[in-house]
Amino acid sequence: MSIHARLAPYKSLVLLALPVALQTAIFSSKSTVDTIMLASLSEIDIAAIGLAAKAQMVISFFIIGLSIGGGQVAAQCFGIKTEDGPRKLHTTVLITLLLSLATALFFFTLLFFFPHPLMGLGSQSQDIINKGAIYLQTIAVSLFCFAYASSIASGLRAMHQPAIATKISFIGVGLNLLLNWLLIFGHFGFPAMGIEGAALGTAISAVIECIALYLYLLVKEHPLTHFRVAQFVALKYKDIKIVARLSVTAAINGVIWAAGLFAFHAILGFSDPNLLIALSVLAPLEAFAMSLLIGLSTAGSILIGNMVGANKLDELPQAVRLHLYFSAAAGVVTALVLSLLEFPLLSLFFHAEVPSDAQKLTSSLFSLMAASLVIKSISMMLIVGVLRAGGDAMFCLMTDVFAQWIFLLPCAFLLTHVFNYPPQYLLGLVIIEECLKAVICGWRLKSKRWVKNVAADLH
């Protein structure tokens, strides 16, 4: 076999992974940008946007989960090489879009009409509640844009065209930066609106990003540009049920995982304020470092989904091994690069000449966080890149719930509140949790019960 033939599978994985990784990094940066800019105004603004961002994060995770689930069905459809393949893919993207827009409408109602009660769940300060409510009301309309962009992006990834949505995302984040700078601080004659300016900048950039994506597809005469009335009428309940089962399961999985992460940080932060500071610093760094791993697992899910949809089951074992080896290697490289950049990265957050207790603690936990990326690269590829792609979304949900809510959180509570273990042991629990998930998913992989060609069941 020639070198070109040996490298071809890796090339496909990388070409799909890089645009997704860039888009993930861009998405992770948006709320960080708002927080950094508002940090120069007042602590009330920081607290308000921090609390409001948590509500926004839960909604975003749910909509992203719907899109991911629908995208995995679409990837299987793309593997079908008959004329049924494109038709089923188009139908799947349409159903995913409808589910996402319905979800956006529900959350829009909550954010726009009941923002004060929502903020009141996390704060008793009327100033924080009022400022956060303004932010939530203003960004509410952007949920529809986010639903559209996420659904179409998943369809494009399934069609091996991830770069389109990534290019448009660059426009969105650049515009978001510019509008926030103008509207938060009042440059070039614009009013200085503070947190309301941050919300307005985010909403306007989301609308323009959405319009830009549609116009790009329209100019290119892309098949995902239009969904005709006849397609709405022809939708079958069975098809909606198939797509919804995977989409809603993935969405619930995302929200439960995010809630568990918040609970884990709350348990650890309750024991030591310095530990909460350390986790707050490490979280965004880890999110950016995870972008490549998320891109690889998403790319893996598309390629595995294509094989399942095409019934190329004899090729699956080799493809799964290749994806796991490559993802693990990427995890090792990411961990090494992160370790080498420890000092300059932490200097972005800590500026005192004499290291504070929080800085020392953050530095001591940094290596553990970097090391955890290696095992996370394997467990993530198993769950997102393989099992979910094969249609086994419910097993993935149960695995995450077991590892996080039955193992990780009770152990963290006991070590923190009963045995008073040092923070290194607590963060080490995350590595054990990821190992547990990898072992369970490895067992499921060997059972071969994870392969479910759901695309074949579509009308």
Side-chain angles (χ1 to χ4, degrees):
M1 184 183 290
S2 66
I3 295 177
H4 179 75
R6 290 179 180 177
L7 293 178
Y10 294 99
K11 184 180 178 182
S12 299
L13 191 65
V14 172
L15 287 177
L16 279 170
L18 289 179
V20 178
L22 282 172
Q23 196 171 11
T24 303
I26 290 168
F27 177 75
S28 301
S29 70
K30 287 187 176 180
S31 61
T32 306
V33 166
D34 287 348
T35 305
I36 291 173
M37 286 191 176
L38 287 168
S40 62
L41 297 181
S42 74
E43 293 182 357
I44 295 294
D45 285 317
I46 298 173
I49 198 171
L51 189 57
K54 286 184 174 63
Q56 187 182 8
M57 183 186 72
V58 171
I59 297 169
S60 298
F61 268 85
F62 198 90
I63 294 175
I64 289 171
L66 289 173
S67 300
I68 288 173
Q72 284 160 349
V73 180
Q76 290 192 9
C77 295
F78 190 73
I80 302 172
K81 296 310 176 185
T82 65
E83 61 182 15
D84 279 344
R87 179 183 58 79
K88 287 185 175 182
L89 186 146
H90 206 259
T91 299
T92 299
V93 176
L94 172 58
I95 294 171
T96 305
L97 178 59
L98 292 174
L99 290 171
S100 298
L101 289 174
T103 302
L105 178 61
F106 172 76
F107 285 116
F108 169 83
T109 304
L110 284 180
L111 296 191
F112 193 79
F113 294 104
F114 308 103
H116 289 86
L118 280 176
M119 289 296 299
L121 294 174
S123 177
Q124 294 181 336
S125 167
Q126 199 58 48
D127 285 340
I128 292 175
I129 290 173
N130 289 338
K131 289 192 174 229
I134 291 172
Y135 184 86
L136 292 179
Q137 271 189 322
T138 307
I139 66 161
V141 70
S142 68
L143 297 180
F144 297 105
C145 301
F146 186 63
Y148 171 78
S150 296
S151 301
I152 299 300
S154 288
L156 291 170
R157 286 196 289 265
M159 299 171 72
H160 293 217
Q161 299 171 15
I164 295 174
T166 303
K167 291 174 185 175
I168 302 299
S169 293
F170 273 112
I171 296 173
V173 75
L175 194 59
N176 189 38
L177 273 168
L178 175 62
L179 289 174
N180 281 5
W181 183 70
L182 292 173
L183 297 174
I184 290 175
F185 304 110
H187 294 293
F188 292 105
F190 285 89
M193 301 170 69
I195 193 170
E196 189 175 356
L200 194 58
T202 300
I204 293 173
S205 62
V207 172
I208 294 176
E209 183 180 339
C210 184
I211 294 171
L213 177 58
Y214 175 76
L215 291 177
Y216 183 93
L217 297 176
L218 184 65
V219 170
K220 294 293 183 180
E221 297 182 351
H222 197 279
L224 294 185
T225 305
H226 297 295
F227 298 94
R228 305 189 185 284
V229 176
Q231 290 177 280
F232 288 90
V233 177
L235 285 178
K236 304 293 183 183
Y237 173 74
K238 178 185 175 184
D239 293 347
I240 296 173
K241 185 178 178 181
I242 289 170
V243 177
R245 185 168 62 242
L246 280 174
S247 295
V248 174
T249 302
I252 292 171
N253 198 340
V255 172
I256 288 177
W257 176 83
L261 187 64
F262 175 77
F264 180 69
H265 282 200
I267 290 171
L268 269 60
F270 183 83
S271 64
D272 183 359
N274 288 325
L275 184 54
L276 186 59
I277 294 171
L279 292 172
S280 298
V281 169
L282 294 176
L285 296 178
E286 185 180 29
F288 280 107
M290 289 281 286
S291 297
L292 176 59
L293 306 182
I294 292 170
L296 283 171
S297 61
T298 303
S301 73
I302 294 166
L303 297 174
I304 295 296
N306 292 164
M307 289 183 183
V308 173
N311 283 318
K312 296 179 178 178
L313 306 186
D314 55 326
E315 298 179 17
L316 278 176
Q318 182 181 354
V320 169
R321 281 196 298 272
L322 181 149
H323 293 173
L324 286 172
Y325 291 153
F326 196 85
S327 186
V332 171
V333 172
T334 304
L336 289 174
V337 171
L338 202 62
S339 297
L340 292 173
L341 296 175
E342 177 182 346
F343 179 76
L345 287 174
L346 292 186
S347 66
L348 296 173
F349 298 88
F350 299 104
H351 309 291
E353 292 184 8
V354 179
S356 63
D357 290 340
Q359 183 175 351
K360 292 176 183 175
L361 182 57
T362 305
S363 183
S364 68
L365 297 177
F366 192 95
S367 297
L368 269 176
M369 183 267 288
S372 71
L373 295 177
V374 179
I375 185 62
K376 282 183 179 181
S377 68
I378 297 172
S379 63
M380 186 179 297
M381 180 58 79
L382 280 168
I383 290 176
V384 178
V386 179
L387 299 185
R388 271 197 205 164
D392 207 14
M394 184 55 70
F395 181 84
C396 295
L397 172 61
M398 292 298 101
T399 301
D400 265 334
V401 169
F402 172 77
Q404 190 177 51
W405 288 88
I406 297 178
F407 169 75
L408 178 66
L409 295 178
C411 287
F413 182 85
L414 285 173
L415 292 180
T416 302
H417 295 271
V418 179
F419 299 110
N420 296 317
Y421 271 72
Q424 288 82 350
Y425 288 94
L426 300 174
L427 202 61
L429 282 174
V430 175
I431 297 178
I432 299 174
E433 177 210 11
E434 295 296 334
C435 288
L436 184 61
K437 287 197 287 190
V439 169
I440 294 172
C441 291
W443 166 80
R444 183 69 169 181
L445 191 65
K446 288 184 178 180
S447 74
K448 298 182 180 179
R449 287 182 289 173
W450 60 277
V451 182
K452 300 169 184 176
N453 191 343
V454 293
D457 297 329
L458 291 172
H459 172 69

